[in-house]
């Protein structure tokens, strides 16, 4: 698989990798055809696992290479990653303010962003799509970094990141489609919205790869930007949602498992 990907243009690599992550989201969303009402414990555990994967990916797949690239380019090792990391958080905060959305388990009145008359289900899907932007961006930037030819960016590491993001997208797909079904949407609509929430990764992945190809010096900033955006999502959304009920300890253990799985993928393959 690595040899096949290596022969493709970086934007095509990012496109195929994010199509894979989108496909895994769709696979998770298809669980709605098998069951209607999963337990809250299962959903919290799945979200915790996804949070653990994102935390590990933020360091091993994004921040560590960003630091190494800064050194290779002759910059202060910590400065570009620090700037990019904070900028990623500010960017997600800005999207939070301008994009109406609703986190899982909250009433319609708790919707964030500008006032809107959009249905509760649409607001929920928008929240998950917002969550997926940094994931697609991270994959795209990782493949774009490989094309730059820096020693710290390898095809194996980019593939490991795509695999890790895809792995955590399966429970995300379940966690989107199942609550929609429980809220009264049809099976078909629940699946459609569930898989659609992952399509944003394809768009952001292609844009991320294209951006670093035309502006190689921003690579350390771009990798750290994706990391900062993902950490913002984890702290602002994923972890708080898993701690709302009685499954906090279980979700925390699942997060630790997700962290170890992503760490093992990155270190083992990268």
């Amino acid at each position: 698989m690595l040899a096949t990907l290596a022969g493709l243009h970086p934007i095509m690599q990012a496109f195929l990798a994010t199509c894979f992550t989108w496909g895994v989201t769709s696979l998770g969303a298809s669980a709605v055809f098998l069951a209607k009402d999963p337990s809250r414990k299962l959903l919290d555990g799945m979200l915790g696992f996804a949070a653990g994967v994102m935390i590990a990916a933020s360091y091993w797949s994004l921040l560590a290479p960003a630091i190494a690239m800064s050194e290779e380019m002759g910059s202060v090792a910590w400065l570009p990653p620090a700037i990019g990391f904070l900028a990623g958080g500010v960017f997600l905060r800005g999207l939070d303010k301008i994009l109406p959305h609703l986190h899982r388990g909250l009433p319609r009145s708790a919707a964030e962003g500008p006032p809107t008359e959009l249905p509760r289900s649409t607001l929920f899907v928008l929240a998950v799509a917002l969550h997926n932007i940094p994931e697609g961006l991270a994959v795209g930037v990782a493949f774009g970094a490989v094309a730059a030819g820096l020693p710290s960016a390898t095809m194996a590491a980019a593939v490991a990141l795509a695999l890790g993001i895809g792995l955590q997208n399966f429970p995300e797909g379940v966690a989107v489609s199942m609550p929609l079904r429980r809220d009264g949407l049809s099976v078909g609509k629940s699946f459609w919205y569930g898989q659609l929430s992952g399509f944003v990764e394809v768009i952001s992945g292609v844009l991320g790869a294209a951006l670093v190809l035309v502006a190689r010096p921003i690579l350390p900033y771009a990798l750290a930007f994706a990391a900062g955006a993902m950490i913002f999502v984890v702290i602002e959304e994923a972890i708080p949602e898993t701690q709302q009920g009685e499954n906090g300890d279980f979700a925390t253990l699942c997060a630790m498992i997700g962290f170890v799985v992503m760490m093992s993928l990155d270190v083992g393959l990268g």
Side-chain angles (χ1 to χ4, degrees), residues 85-166:
F85 185 83
L86 293 174
V90 171
F91 173 74
L92 257 292
R93 173 57 178 161
L95 287 183
D96 256 354
K97 297 291 287 184
I98 65 174
L99 183 68
H101 59 286
L102 177 67
H103 297 306
R104 179 173 65 95
L106 297 179
R108 176 68 174 72
S109 58
E112 299 180 26
T116 179
E117 298 300 321
L118 289 172
R120 185 177 186 277
S121 58
T122 302
L123 291 172
F124 175 53
V125 173
L126 285 173
V128 180
L130 182 66
H131 176 164
N132 286 338
I133 289 174
E135 296 176 11
L137 184 64
V139 175
V141 171
F143 279 98
V146 176
L150 296 173
S152 53
T154 67
M155 181 61 67
V159 170
L161 176 60
L163 288 174
I165 295 296

Side-chain angles (χ1 to χ4, degrees), residues 134-220:
E135 296 176 11
L137 184 64
V139 175
V141 171
F143 279 98
V146 176
L150 296 173
S152 53
T154 67
M155 181 61 67
V159 170
L161 176 60
L163 288 174
I165 295 296
L167 186 64
Q168 63 99 39
N169 274 2
F170 181 84
E172 280 190 0
V174 176
V176 176
S177 63
M178 292 296 196
L180 291 176
R181 177 64 176 139
R182 190 172 59 236
D183 285 349
L185 267 69
S186 68
V187 171
K189 285 187 176 180
S190 298
F191 168 75
W192 171 254
Y193 285 125
Q195 64 81 30
L196 191 62
S197 68
F199 182 69
V200 68
E201 293 186 5
V202 180
I203 299 172
S204 57
V206 169
L207 289 176
L211 181 63
V212 298
L213 283 177
V214 300
R216 184 176 181 272
I218 71 167
L219 264 173

